[in-house]
Amino acid sequence: MARFLKTGFGLDVSDFSIELLELSSKVKVKTFSRIILEPGIVENGLILDKRKLTKSLKELVAKTKTKTSQVVLSLPESKVFIHVFKIPKGLKGTTLKDAIAFEAPKVIPLNQEEIYWDCQTISAPAKSAQQSVLYVAVFKNIIDTYIEVLGLAGLRPVVFEIESLALGRSLLSELKPTNSLMIVDLGARTTNISIFDKNKQLRWSSTIAVAGNHFTQAIVEKLKKTPEQAEKLKRDKGLAEKSTVKLILEKELQPVIEEIKRSEEHTSELQSH
């Protein structure tokens, strides 16, 4: 799906900030910068104010002085639909895509006219008559809006990537696992749970709307602190020692733990079929 570019930079747009990362030809960090977004520009991964986001993008690019306009954009995981299909082995190219296009509406209730999608074979065991194919879909209006804003900022998107695949390549590249691996990405607004098989192929991705901001707000309400005080307590105390903060966080983390368990169970079912 994504590929390494000789020139270009990665861009991550969240509800709260934009982050830019450019690598050198030796795959080392060349440029990194971040700009905070005002509330109401991006919400739940959706662009609400194109003009302000365009302005912020221009400021960030000018700040980093990058010389390329090519962009690899990270898509918000909560807006991406992911599924692993079992398809007869031997199907490739157009034939494979036709088979996936036929199967997808049975599992993912989306209007095919309203989405962009892609797929790739992730495993084809020698003794099996089937191959596992990763399917990724996102609504056209989300992609089209990002393309429009990037264009207004003088940028050219060349790859749209999902966070879980990018995290897998970044964190698992040096590992030689003998079993499945899980990555739990606790962000500000959401927690993303991704499970990779022993070949480091994505098998499952799930998003839950419980994360950093939710934990901070719980401390605000229960300890009657300001958001700034609560954020500091969360970072300083966390789960490392016995305290009221730890008890609050342990309770608020329960939905995340339950989603992790559900993801594990679902992935076990996938791998057993």
Side-chain angles (χ1 to χ4, degrees):
M1 291 176 178
R3 62 188 186 278
F4 182 73
L5 301 175
K6 290 184 178 179
T7 60
F9 58 85
L11 199 63
D12 180 41
V13 181
S14 74
D15 293 8
F16 309 101
S17 66
I18 311 173
E19 294 179 337
L20 184 155
L21 175 67
E22 186 176 6
L23 301 177
S24 69
S25 58
K26 296 182 180 179
V27 199
K28 293 185 178 180
V29 175
K30 181 179 179 181
T31 305
F32 174 77
S33 190
R34 183 172 188 254
I35 191 169
I36 302 300
L37 292 178
E38 298 175 15
I41 297 178
V42 179
E43 187 174 301
N44 195 23
L46 299 175
I47 299 173
L48 302 182
D49 194 319
K50 297 177 185 176
R51 183 184 63 81
K52 286 187 177 180
L53 183 58
T54 300
K55 181 182 177 183
S56 295
L57 280 168
K58 288 181 176 179
E59 289 176 1
L60 181 62
V61 173
K63 178 181 174 182
T64 57
K65 298 180 181 180
T66 181
K67 296 180 180 179
T68 178
S69 62
Q70 294 192 122
V71 176
V72 176
L73 182 70
S74 173
L75 292 172
E77 199 84 1
S78 60
K79 297 303 178 186
V80 176
F81 300 87
I82 298 172
H83 189 75
V84 176
F85 286 100
K86 296 289 188 178
I87 299 294
K89 193 187 292 185
L91 299 183
K92 298 179 181 179
T94 303
T95 308
L96 174 62
K97 288 212 166 188
D98 287 344
I100 294 296
F102 178 77
E103 293 294 331
K106 300 177 184 178
V107 179
I108 302 175
L110 300 177
N111 185 335
Q112 300 300 296
E113 302 287 325
E114 298 178 351
I115 63 171
Y116 293 121
W117 64 273
D118 199 359
C119 65
Q120 67 180 32
T121 299
I122 57 175
S123 71
K127 296 181 180 180
S128 174
Q130 294 182 314
Q131 57 184 327
S132 296
V133 179
L134 178 66
Y135 169 91
V136 176
V138 62
F139 282 111
K140 287 182 177 179
N141 66 317
I142 294 175
I143 294 289
D144 292 345
T145 304
Y146 275 102
I147 290 174
E148 179 186 353
V149 170
L150 289 171
L152 291 171
L155 303 174
R156 184 167 69 89
V158 290
V159 176
F160 287 93
E161 181 64 295
I162 60 175
E163 294 174 2
S164 52
L165 287 175
L167 275 174
R169 283 196 304 275
S170 174
L171 300 177
L172 307 181
S173 61
E174 301 298 321
L175 300 181
K176 295 180 180 179
T178 57
N179 219 323
S180 298
L181 295 165
M182 175 184 289
I183 296 175
V184 179
D185 181 16
L186 273 164
R189 182 180 57 84
T190 60
T191 296
N192 298 327
I193 300 164
S194 306
I195 297 180
F196 297 79
D197 62 24
K198 63 182 180 180
N199 297 314
K200 296 183 278 191
Q201 299 288 352
L202 181 66
R203 305 296 301 196
W204 172 261
S205 180
S206 175
T207 300
I208 181 172
V210 177
N213 290 348
H214 176 87
F215 305 144
T216 301
Q217 186 58 33
I219 295 171
V220 168
E221 294 172 2
K222 292 185 168 73
L223 298 184
K224 309 301 180 186
K225 301 292 184 180
T226 66
E228 293 75 18
Q229 290 171 330
E231 181 68 21
K232 188 174 189 305
L233 281 171
K234 181 183 73 176
R235 292 175 180 274
D236 292 348
K237 299 289 185 180
L239 298 167
E241 58 184 66
K242 290 183 179 180
S243 66
T244 306
V245 172
K246 180 181 180 181
L247 293 176
I248 293 170
L249 293 178
E250 285 178 338
K251 180 180 178 181
E252 299 302 323
L253 274 166
Q254 285 308 305
V256 176
I257 293 170
E258 291 303 315
E259 185 63 20
I260 287 173
K261 291 178 179 178
R262 190 180 76 84
S263 296
E264 286 180 322
E265 290 170 0
H266 188 85
T267 307
S268 297
E269 291 174 6
L270 275 177
Q271 293 177 340
S272 65
H273 286 80

